[in-house]
Amino acid sequence: LFWEGERSRGIKEILKPLPSPPGELAILTGPEGGLSAEDASKAISKGFIPVSLGPRILRAETAALAAASILQYELGDMS
């Protein structure tokens, strides 16, 4: 879950404790204004982990592509 909020952490911090390779991952990105508190709470209750892509505000379609690229890089899928 990519969400700017008080509880969000960086991607590297989230990936560190996962097994390598981590298996199946799902990415949920919100609208450009961010997820509502209600939507974020629902996602967290379903097992999503709040993660920040950093201080820049990205368009919704750009955030999904950036998140996938970061995960591929961090997990060693890009050589």
Side-chain angles (χ1 to χ4, degrees):
L1 163 67
F2 293 92
W3 173 58
E4 293 300 326
E6 293 178 20
R7 297 174 287 177
S8 64
R9 297 178 281 169
I11 293 175
K12 282 187 178 187
E13 183 182 348
I14 297 298
L15 293 176
K16 272 184 191 176
L18 296 179
S20 183
E24 194 171 302
L25 294 174
I27 300 171
L28 170 67
T29 59
E32 292 163 29
L35 293 174
S36 69
E38 181 182 349
D39 288 340
S41 292
K42 285 180 183 178
I44 291 167
S45 73
K46 298 294 183 185
F48 282 89
I49 301 169
V51 176
S52 173
L53 288 178
R56 289 179 174 62
I57 297 173
L58 301 174
R59 294 179 55 98
E61 63 274 10
T62 306
L65 182 60
S69 297
I70 291 167
L71 288 174
Q72 283 185 308
Y73 177 81
E74 288 295 325
L75 298 174
D77 290 300
M78 298 179 83
S79 52

